[in-house]
Structures are given as structure tokens and as C-alpha cells.
């Protein structure tokens, strides 16, 4: 999955770039920054792991 992000007011909108007309998930800035830190730090971001 290739993710694209965009600022949506104070929030962050994310979608799969391969599905440009698909759903957009919206996250608050704080959870989005935490997610990116986990990904960049190599930590699992899967809820079951």
C-alpha cells in the first residue's frame, strides 16, 4: 500500500494512492505524528503485534 497524506485543517487525511477515489482516513495531528515516529523507528504498527 502506498499512502498519500494531506493536511485537512488541523488533521491529517490519508489514502491509498492506488485507490484515488477510495476512502480517506482522517487522523488528529498527535496520533499521526506518533504513527510516523513508530514507522520510522521500525516498530510494529499492526494492532495485533
Amino acid at each position: 500500500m502506498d499512502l498519500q497524506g494531506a493536511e485537512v485543517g488541523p488533521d491529517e487525511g490519508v489514502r491509498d494512492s492506488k485507490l484515488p477515489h477510495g476512502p480517506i482516513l482522517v487522523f488528529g495531528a498527535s496520533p499521526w505524528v506518533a504513527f510516523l515516529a513508530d514507522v520510522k523507528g521500525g516498530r510494529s504498527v499492526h494492532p495485533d503485534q
Side-chain angles (χ1 to χ4, degrees):
M1 177 185 315
D2 295 321
L3 297 178
Q4 292 180 322
E7 288 185 28
V8 182
D11 299 323
E12 197 70 31
V14 182
R15 70 176 184 171
D16 185 340
S17 64
K18 293 183 294 300
L19 301 171
H21 301 291
I24 297 172
L25 302 174
V26 178
F27 299 91
S30 197
W32 182 247
V33 169
F35 169 76
L36 292 179
D38 284 347
V39 170
K40 290 177 183 177
R43 290 182 289 282
S44 173
V45 294
H46 192 280
D48 295 333
Q49 296 180 354

